[in-house]
Amino acid sequence: DTAVSQTPKYLVTQMGNDKSIKCEQNLGHDTMYWYKQDSKKFLKIMFSYNNKELIINETVPNRFSPKSPDKAHLNLHINSLELGDSAVYFCASSPDREQPQHFGDGTRLSIL
Amino acid sequence: GQNIDQPTEMTATEGAIVQINCTYQTSGFNGLFWYQQHAGEAPTFLSYNVLDGLEEKGRFSSFLSRSKGYSYLLLKELQMKDSASYLCAVGSWGKFQFGAGTQVVVTP
């Protein structure tokens, strides 16, 4: 199946822990993104990468560190998790930075 | 900034037409995008406009007027499965800003 796939789908962990979310797309797209959707369903961009290069960093705390080993992968590492990090995190990709995006199924992060 | 405003909720009857408006303030952007998001699922792309005018894709159409800072999504022949949140987004060189979404409720 051609898709944007992210793992894990659910992540429940304690405050202060460090966790990673992985994302892969097999659509041959050049641009990948991370979004955060909070409890009010507001979808907010965090990072954009184009051909492995960071192009957008939207005032995200530096506890969040994205890594793109190649243009098909964009992982998100989060240090020292806080209660406010509880949200759904969506990975997305698009053919280039102007085209519509395909979203992964989301990772539901709950901080205890 | 790129403040994006859309109504919080709209209700319509099966078979009817609904128009979801989106207004924005921005100094420039590449395209205006519409996505559908069912509860607990990922957003899926519906339609987008780069130039002013109407783009038609089956039951869904989107319109853009850059001079008026305005877009709308038109949903025709509403079906129960169209009950979802509809997100308006402005895109500019890899940066996409989304509105808060309009929850459409389709009733029998």
Side-chain angles (χ1 to χ4, degrees):
Chain A
D1 285 348
T2 53
V4 180
S5 54
Q6 54 183 109
T7 55
K9 186 164 182 162
Y10 298 95
L11 193 47
V12 181
T13 190
Q14 293 194 323
M15 224 166 41
N17 284 350
D18 304 338
K19 290 293 177 187
S20 292
I21 308 172
K22 295 187 175 180
C23 180
E24 175 181 4
Q25 54 95 3
N26 61 5
L27 298 164
H29 289 171
D30 284 348
T31 312
M32 295 186 73
Y33 312 81
W34 276 110
Y35 286 88
K36 178 181 180 181
Q37 189 168 44
D38 59 26
S39 56
K40 294 182 181 176
K41 307 304 180 189
F42 188 59
L43 192 63
K44 187 168 169 55
I45 193 163
M46 301 172 69
F47 303 102
S48 297
Y49 270 72
N50 192 64
N51 278 317
K52 304 192 303 175
E53 300 297 322
L54 178 67
I55 55 171
I56 299 289
N57 180 343
E58 278 295 287
T59 60
V60 178
N62 56 16
R63 297 184 296 106
F64 291 79
S65 50
K67 279 200 172 61
S68 182
D70 54 63
K71 74 173 194 177
H73 295 84
L74 180 60
N75 304 321
L76 183 65
H77 187 75
I78 316 170
N79 288 328
S80 304
L81 280 157
E82 300 178 357
L83 288 175
D85 297 333
S86 293
V88 181
Y89 291 83
F90 286 103
C91 177
S93 73
S94 58
D96 59 42
R97 61 182 85 182
E98 297 179 44
Q99 297 290 322
Q101 295 157 80
H102 295 246
F103 283 81
D105 288 338
T107 295
R108 285 137 191 87
L109 176 63
S110 298
I111 309 302
L112 304 177
Chain B
Q2 297 178 320
N3 293 333
I4 299 172
D5 294 309
Q6 46 181 134
T8 305
E9 186 171 311
M10 302 180 74
T11 301
T13 309
E14 203 173 5
I17 299 173
V18 71
Q19 177 175 315
I20 306 169
N21 295 328
C22 171
T23 58
Y24 58 86
Q25 292 100 42
T26 179
S27 56
F29 61 93
N30 298 120
L32 192 138
F33 300 78
W34 285 94
Y35 290 83
Q36 179 191 61
Q37 186 176 24
H38 285 101
E41 297 183 11
T44 55
F45 168 70
L46 290 177
S47 184
Y48 81 121
N49 299 74
V50 174
L51 302 175
D52 283 6
L54 188 67
E55 289 287 338
E56 297 190 80
K57 289 182 75 171
R59 294 191 301 115
F60 301 120
S61 305
S62 60
F63 173 84
L64 175 65
S65 169
R66 286 178 182 264
S67 60
K68 294 182 180 175
Y70 164 69
S71 173
Y72 67 73
L73 179 70
L74 200 66
L75 286 63
K76 303 176 198 169
E77 300 167 20
L78 276 173
Q79 301 175 10
M80 296 300 291
K81 67 178 182 179
D82 297 330
S83 291
S85 182
Y86 291 84
L87 309 173
C88 170
V90 170
S92 181
W93 294 106
K95 178 178 175 178
F96 291 81
Q97 182 153 352
F98 282 77
T102 298
Q103 186 66 41
V104 170
V105 178
V106 181
T107 59

